[in-house]
Amino acid sequence: MERGPLETLIAEEIRAHGPISFARFMERALLEPAIGYYASQQVRAGRSGDFMTAPELHPLLGAAIARLAEETWRRIGCPQPFRWIEFGAGSGALLLAALAHLEREDSPLLAALEIEAIEANPFRRAELEASVAALPQHARPRLVQRDTTARGEIAGIVVANEFLDALPFHIVVGRTAAPRGFLERCVGLDASSGELTWVEAEPDAAYEHSLTARVQAHTAAAATLAEGQLAEFSLAADAWVATLPSYLDRGVALVIDYGRESGALRDAATRMAGTALAYSEHRATSDLLSDPGGRDLTAHVDLTALRVAATAAGLGHIASTTQAGLLAAAGIDGELQRLRSGPDATLEGALALRTALASLMDPRGMGGFAVELFTAGSPSDRMALSNPADPLPGTAAPIRRLV
Ligand SMILES: C[S@@+](CC[C@H](N)C(=O)[O-])C[C@H]1O[C@@H](n2cnc3c(N)ncnc32)[C@H](O)[C@@H]1O
């Protein structure tokens, strides 16, 4: 079969330097300028794309997060400005739904809000900027870029919906005879066909120490990997969490994604093949190497590692719930009422809401997505944000039972 342009580039890199980690393969497959899966102009999310996310399905999640943002803002003393910092913001579906909710509710937060949208795809980013620019002036927050040189204190909310699962991960394979008990599953070239193929190798010296530490932290807390068992470890996700204090001084950080605790993710009885998948046209496949740049690559988020990294970065952990729990406890009953029977309600809108709710609340689907909430700020900020007797909107649902 003829090689695509990205496959050719990756093969050249392997020919020049030897097998590469899956994390490196994924970085190029997703983000290679102009031709990577998330770098090209082609629309990936939504019905006509490869996957559906909650904000693409319905504005309800945006309304719930707007409530959480507003209450966070109030509890830390209504700072001006208050920043909405969104990672992987796409073309802004979640942000625009949140802004629309704040406008409808005539929220005073709207006047204090500024937006920092972090989006790798220049086309989606331009769409987001155009949509914000088209908002009426009273409902149009300032778009800002991060100033890393001289910045004042930043109060706000960090939002990362289905972002962490798209960050590059390493794949390791349990090998009891190997000195570390595992080898890395790297990407090489088949000697006869020249096709991309899996090869097992010791991890590269550049990241060997961090990867070994992550695998060992997992095996110390849970179980060693079985012979031949595959497991993903995202050093990029750890590194992302470590950067959060450089974005936010006071407020909350909200992560929503499909994920499990470390032990459940790598349970040999159910997860011998790991969780990595490639997505195309709403279909998943475990063939990760074909058509780089043409498919989404993703794996479940390790929630245990996320909390460990957040604590190491100085963040406080205040809630673990699910997307269904967040929506149920976010206090958006008024929003539901409005969509069902408010003055602007339509039959189409009510039916769309019903269909969307079935997906958004489905415990085996998006409703079961993990929601992790962290705090940043002074001890009094943190107390105000994590009062168990008065939880933030969306966090009052029972703590998730993880399997
Ligand atoms: C699965 S989509 C989710 C989009 C949006 N958050 C939503 O829920 O609809 C992942 C998004 O993250 C962006 N992305 C992936 N890697 C990124 C990176 N390293 N930095 C910034 N954005 C990234 C992609 O371009 C894409 O828009």
Side-chain angles (χ1 to χ4, degrees), residues 110-151:
L110 210 44
L113 209 57
E114 61 182 22
I115 309 295
E116 180 177 357
I118 297 118
E119 172 50 56
N121 187 304
F123 302 98
R124 299 294 90 76
R125 211 197 133 75
E127 286 159 12
L128 180 148
E129 285 172 8
S131 299
V132 171
L135 293 170
Q137 200 185 353
H138 71 275
R140 186 192 320 142
R142 208 161 61 94
L143 281 169
V144 298
Q145 302 265 354
R146 188 162 72 126
D147 182 350
T148 47
T149 48
R151 70 164 177 86

Side-chain angles (χ1 to χ4, degrees), residues 333-377:
D333 314 17
E335 184 72 11
L336 291 171
Q337 197 63 28
R338 181 186 71 79
L339 290 164
R340 284 200 186 105
S341 54
D344 304 328
T346 58
L347 180 61
E348 290 76 20
L351 288 175
L353 173 67
R354 205 164 79 171
T355 314
L357 274 177
S359 294
L360 295 174
M361 303 297 281
D362 178 1
R364 286 160 307 162
M366 284 184 199
F369 281 13
V371 173
E372 295 284 335
L373 190 65
F374 303 96
T375 49

Side-chain angles (χ1 to χ4, degrees), residues 31 38 45 51 53 55-56 86-90 118-121 124 161-163 165-167 296:
L31 297 176
Y38 279 127
F51 54 83
T53 64
E56 295 289 341
E86 187 175 344
F87 287 85
I118 297 118
E119 172 50 56
N121 187 304
R124 299 294 90 76
N161 186 56
E162 290 203 44
F163 169 74
D165 69 88
L167 293 184
D296 193 13

